[in-house]
Amino acid sequence: MVTCSFCCLHRHMHRKIAIKFAYLGEKYHGLARQDHVDETIEAHLLHALNKACLMEDVATADMSRCGRTDKGVSAFSQVISLKVRTNVEGGPGFYPPTGTPKAKKAKGTPKELPYVQILNGLLPDDIRVYAWARVDDGFSARFSCGYRSYKYFFPRESLNIQAMREAAAFLVGEHDFRNLCKVHLFVGYMCAHLCYLM
């Protein structure tokens, strides 16, 4: 991973934000970073964040992801949350510098960093950031998520569509899948899913 050229990011203000992005996963080994595998979506995002000196490292960034995708799977509305460098003081999720503050250069109202443009300038063309928002310190892309929606597309060739519809009909409705969920000890939650067949 690239090391940020700012040796003292702790001298900058930070804020927690949520980043919304999309990707075509055909050539990647899934969303989540993995040891000894560079071609993951998260590895590219972290590389861009670090290269732009928006974050120092994952350990101090308080990063979480809404969900994960497997090798070759695309996503069109994925969310991560993390602490990044900011130009604007105050507001939700704001953190003052922990070291000696960096001297301010100009007076007037500072503009926020253009996170979307910065990251898209450093990411591959098949990974695109398209929105960001300030979030409270307690926000977690994983645990603050209200719902997740999945759509699966299959080529019709050599598939028994009728058998697939009949099998999928058993999933329609609201079901409690808590036995299939990883439960976080400090964040109790119910893992129920409402399934639709289209």
Side-chain angles (χ1 to χ4, degrees):
M1 178 174 277
V2 171
T3 303
C4 179
S5 59
F6 285 132
C7 60
C8 24
L9 263 175
H10 64 279
R11 292 176 54 199
H12 293 269
M13 299 179 293
H14 287 78
R15 90 168 48 259
K16 193 162 192 182
I17 66 170
I19 297 174
K20 201 171 198 179
F21 59 102
Y23 53 88
L24 299 175
E26 184 178 350
K27 68 180 186 183
Y28 298 101
H29 292 267
L31 170 65
R33 68 187 182 280
Q34 303 170 38
D35 292 337
H36 313 295
V37 178
D38 292 333
E39 288 303 310
T40 67
I41 304 300
E42 203 169 71
H44 283 279
L45 279 168
L46 292 173
H47 179 82
L49 286 158
N50 196 271
K51 189 170 184 178
C53 295
L54 294 176
M55 62 171 260
E56 205 161 358
D57 59 45
V58 177
T60 60
D62 188 24
M63 190 177 104
S64 69
R65 66 181 89 81
C66 183
R68 299 187 328 183
T69 54
D70 292 330
K71 180 179 179 179
V73 177
S74 299
F76 300 105
S77 189
Q78 184 63 269
V79 177
I80 61 168
S81 59
L82 72 162
K83 294 176 193 172
V84 294
R85 185 167 52 95
T86 182
N87 280 345
V88 178
E89 197 169 343
F94 173 76
Y95 299 89
T98 56
T100 305
K102 189 174 184 325
K104 294 183 180 179
K105 292 181 182 176
K107 293 189 179 195
T109 306
K111 291 185 178 180
E112 188 53 273
L113 294 168
Y115 299 116
V116 172
Q117 291 83 357
I118 291 170
L119 292 172
N120 284 339
L122 297 169
L123 288 166
D125 290 341
D126 49 6
I127 304 172
R128 295 287 91 184
V129 171
Y130 60 91
W132 72 272
R134 296 177 180 184
V135 295
D136 291 325
D137 180 47
F139 181 86
S140 163
R142 179 180 176 195
F143 294 113
S144 301
C145 177
Y147 70 92
R148 292 173 178 85
S149 177
Y150 300 90
K151 289 186 181 181
Y152 298 91
F153 299 92
F154 302 96
R156 286 184 165 256
E157 58 197 49
S158 72
L159 293 176
N160 186 336
I161 302 298
Q162 184 56 36
M164 291 174 71
R165 286 189 184 281
E166 289 171 13
F170 289 107
L171 298 174
V172 175
E174 188 170 348
H175 305 281
D176 181 0
F177 290 115
R178 82 178 89 185
N179 291 331
L180 301 175
C181 296
K182 181 178 180 183
V183 178
H184 191 282
L185 295 177
F186 303 109
V187 183
Y189 66 96
M190 173 89 163
C191 187
H193 292 274
L194 187 58
C195 297
Y196 300 97
L197 184 62
M198 299 187 178

